[in-house]
Amino acid sequence: MNFKRMKKSSFFFLCSFLLSTGSTFAQKAPAPYGAVPNKNQLAWQDMEYYMFIHFGPNTFTDKEWGHGDEDPKVFNPTKLDARQWARTAKAAGMKAIIITAKHHDGFCLFPSKYSTHTVKESAWKNGKGDVLKELSAACKEYGLKFGVYLSPWDRNHPKYGTPEYNQVFANTLKEVHTQYGPVFEQWFDGAKGEKEKNQDYDFKLFNSIVRANNPQAVIFSDIGPDARWMGNESGVAGTTNWSTLNTDGFGVGAAAPAATVLNTGNEDGKYWIPAEVDVSIRPGWFYSANTDDKVKTLKELVSIYETSIGRNGNLLLNVPVNREGLIHPNDSTRLMEFRKTIDASYKTNLAKGKKVTVSNTRKGAQFTAANLTDGHPATYWATDDQLKTAAITIDFGKATELNRLVLQEYIALGQRVKSFSVEYLADNTYKTLDQQTTIGHKRILSFPKIKTTKIRVNILEANACPVLSEIAVYNAPDL
Ligand code: FUL
Ligand code: CA
């Protein structure tokens, strides 16, 4: 073959042919196990931390669940500044903001054509304001993603409880999903008052509106389809937390699986529906001057970080906006302290670039154990297919103090690890530090400071050969 006379395109073809046949000699990447995330869910999981904002008439009436008969004129946040919210979220290290476009009281923070209980009827800006418009612009300016909460339960709308309501809600949803730019997450609340008008929600219709207008959006509800409620509002995901869930035959609200099931997921669940941890920085979801001195402490927030992001969940932290239309300084100050602490805690990965010895490595340079400590979540180590256990030893080369261990699975191939233990070398023998169950996107173990030259992670049980992307260790400053 005359390479000189060969066309450029055929040369590339030949190269890729040789490469592809060459790679059949190396072992293939592990087959995905069970349900796996789609690309929206993968991108969403990497966001980890974002802001929830509860805001509406309740802010002005000191209620958590408005009845829907509040005078819309009470809504008058005279100093509203969505850029302050976005600036605060950004400085806090958050990646997005999700706002209550419509809570249970039915009040819309935007001028909906399908309701007479909206900002249009409020005193704010003489009825000319639009909170969603201001917030989506501010999010764009600060490089944050924009998300919306809408409650299907509506205590104001006259059609609620009639067959027409589902279409009304779908229309409202469509306004939100077509007028404010890309939406990264749709948050559907499952709460519904008992002994009130009832409505069978048409989630098939609702989800189709979201999919049609924001195909990249992750849809959250008690049962997904894309992200699930984690079963409590205190910020504590299960120590066992599978991103898979069985939802056939279940619904939102009362029809959802038990909270204990949502808290841990289902091992080998049929669908990939990872947990999102929603929790408020104050005792209530809405702002109240009564809770100005009850903002969660730094210690509480750090603990929540470890029981949410550190347990394979995303953290949606609610920061309620006050009656002026601003985030109160008590909340923003705490958010900055929190970020500073998290940054300092996870700043220096003491395992980065350190020597890793493993019990087995799958054939092929791309699966090398060095991938475990390269600091890149996109590279991973894997074992041969038939193995369901493994041992990984990291040698620090010198006595090293540490109090945090972070493990990550390469979840694009599914969640596989069922249990693992961690040991450290002390006086020439390995001592057990901890034994836990699942890992998923991220698992953080926090423990009193140890000093050691080596740690060993034992994968004790897995549903398919282990595929881990990172093992990191830190020496977080004391609080
Ligand atoms: C719950 C609601 O009832 C609360 O008011 C709040 O919005 C919370 C995030 O979800 O179901
Ligand atoms: Ca890696």
Side-chain angles (χ1 to χ4, degrees):
M1 203 179 293
N2 189 335
F3 279 94
K4 258 190 196 154
R5 287 174 57 188
M6 211 164 138
K7 272 206 205 136
K8 220 179 179 180
S9 56
S10 15
F11 177 70
F12 280 124
F13 178 77
L14 179 73
C15 287
S16 52
F17 175 76
L18 288 173
L19 273 172
S20 63
T21 48
S23 68
T24 56
F25 297 118
Q27 209 163 327
K28 278 208 218 94
Y33 176 78
V36 293
N38 62 34
K39 75 173 197 309
N40 296 342
Q41 291 170 315
L42 275 175
W44 172 90
Q45 194 89 57
D46 280 338
M47 292 173 65
E48 291 190 351
Y49 179 41
Y50 35 93
M51 186 184 277
F52 213 177
I53 292 182
H54 277 66
F55 188 42
N58 292 345
T59 311
F60 298 84
T61 56
D62 252 325
K63 288 181 198 166
E64 279 293 319
W65 279 9
H67 294 276
D69 57 0
E70 293 77 20
D71 182 350
K73 293 271 179 290
V74 298
F75 185 82
N76 193 15
T78 47
K79 293 187 183 147
L80 185 138
D81 181 4
R83 297 178 69 242
Q84 186 240 12
W85 315 348
R87 197 160 62 238
T88 306
K90 186 76 185 182
M94 294 167 163
K95 298 285 178 355
I97 300 180
I98 300 179
I99 188 157
T100 52
K102 177 174 89 97
H103 202 250
H104 309 323
D105 61 8
F107 184 86
C108 298
L109 292 181
F110 63 103
S112 172
K113 276 200 290 213
Y114 304 97
S115 167
T116 53
H117 195 53
T118 78
V119 282
K120 229 175 16 208
E121 287 75 31
S122 78
W124 181 52
K125 293 191 170 175
N126 294 316
K128 298 272 176 320
D130 184 340
V131 180
L132 296 197
K133 195 172 165 196
E134 296 197 23
L135 181 59
S136 65
C139 283
K140 212 168 171 192
E141 179 182 343
Y142 285 93
L144 297 169
K145 291 187 172 170
F146 170 73
V148 285
Y149 161 114
L150 276 105
S151 167
W153 180 33
D154 191 319
R155 295 172 118 179
N156 172 270
H157 207 284
K159 294 277 190 251
Y160 190 82
T162 74
E164 295 118 276
Y165 174 79
N166 280 326
Q167 193 54 54
V168 171
F169 186 73
N171 295 344
T172 314
L173 201 55
K174 189 165 178 189
E175 294 180 299
V176 171
H177 279 267
T178 52
Q179 295 174 13
Y180 303 101
V183 170
F184 89 98
E185 178 168 333
Q186 169 61 49
W187 216 95
F188 285 126
D189 199 328
K192 197 186 212 179
E194 287 164 28
K195 298 190 200 126
E196 292 192 31
K197 274 194 259 178
N198 192 31
Q199 176 84 43
D200 271 332
Y201 302 134
D202 188 350
F203 272 101
K204 233 175 140 182
L205 172 66
F206 307 160
N207 291 346
S208 75
I209 303 284
V210 178
R211 293 278 192 253
N213 297 288
N214 277 296
Q216 80 292 341
V218 161
I219 302 178
F220 168 100
S221 82
D222 292 344
I223 57 161
D226 303 323
R228 74 172 195 269
W229 188 47
M230 168 286 295
N232 64 59
E233 293 179 339
S234 48
V236 185
T239 49
T240 296
N241 186 9
W242 296 100
S243 287
T244 47
L245 190 71
N246 293 318
T247 56
D248 289 350
F250 290 100
V252 299
T260 46
V261 172
L262 295 176
N263 196 243
T264 58
N266 295 121
E267 180 181 352
D268 289 324
K270 189 166 169 194
Y271 306 103
W272 184 271
I273 310 178
E276 182 184 79
V277 177
D278 63 313
V279 55
S280 186
I281 196 166
R282 290 176 179 234
W285 291 99
F286 284 88
Y287 175 84
S288 165
N290 298 327
T291 59
D292 280 349
D293 59 352
K294 296 194 176 62
V295 174
K296 285 197 167 61
T297 63
L298 178 59
K299 248 198 153 118
E300 287 173 309
L301 290 178
V302 168
S303 165
I304 284 173
Y305 185 87
E306 287 168 4
T307 59
S308 57
I309 295 169
R311 289 187 185 171
N312 190 32
N314 272 4
L315 174 56
L316 174 59
L317 182 62
N318 182 65
V319 183
V321 163
N322 70 15
R323 291 183 184 180
E324 293 186 305
L326 297 168
I327 291 174
H328 191 279
N330 289 4
D331 306 80
S332 50
T333 306
R334 190 52 40 76
L335 287 173
M336 298 313 126
E337 292 168 0
F338 181 36
R339 182 190 182 163
K340 229 174 113 187
T341 303
I342 295 300
D343 279 359
S345 303
Y346 300 98
K347 192 172 145 208
T348 312
N349 173 8
L350 300 166
K352 188 149 182 219
K354 292 290 187 280
K355 199 178 144 223
V356 189
T357 320
V358 287
S359 51
N360 172 275
T361 298
R362 195 178 186 84
K363 245 182 249 105
Q366 70 268 45
F367 311 118
T368 170
N371 287 347
L372 286 166
T373 54
D374 66 355
H376 294 301
T379 62
Y380 63 86
W381 155 85
T383 68
D384 289 332
D385 281 332
Q386 75 279 9
L387 295 176
K388 309 288 186 288
T389 61
I392 306 152
T393 307
I394 300 178
D395 185 347
F396 301 114
K398 59 171 192 280
T400 302
E401 289 191 323
L402 51 121
N403 55 13
R404 299 280 190 284
L405 176 80
V406 183
L407 298 170
Q408 293 193 266
E409 281 185 272
Y410 184 75
I411 56 168
L413 296 177
Q415 194 178 346
R416 311 158 82 97
V417 175
K418 231 177 124 129
S419 78
F420 66 96
S421 70
V422 182
E423 301 167 297
Y424 66 104
L425 198 61
D427 304 324
N428 285 318
T429 52
Y430 277 102
K431 280 207 178 114
T432 301
L433 182 63
D434 204 349
Q435 181 165 334
Q436 293 292 337
T437 53
T438 56
I439 299 175
H441 166 70
K442 191 174 270 187
R443 185 70 198 266
I444 301 176
L445 301 183
S446 175
F447 44 87
K449 198 161 289 183
I450 56 164
K451 193 172 184 176
T452 186
T453 53
K454 284 180 187 176
I455 57 157
R456 186 158 74 191
V457 175
N458 303 296
I459 306 298
L460 303 173
E461 246 184 308
N463 285 322
C465 71
V467 178
L468 296 189
S469 60
E470 278 297 299
I471 299 181
V473 304
Y474 301 90
N475 188 18
D478 293 326
L479 271 190

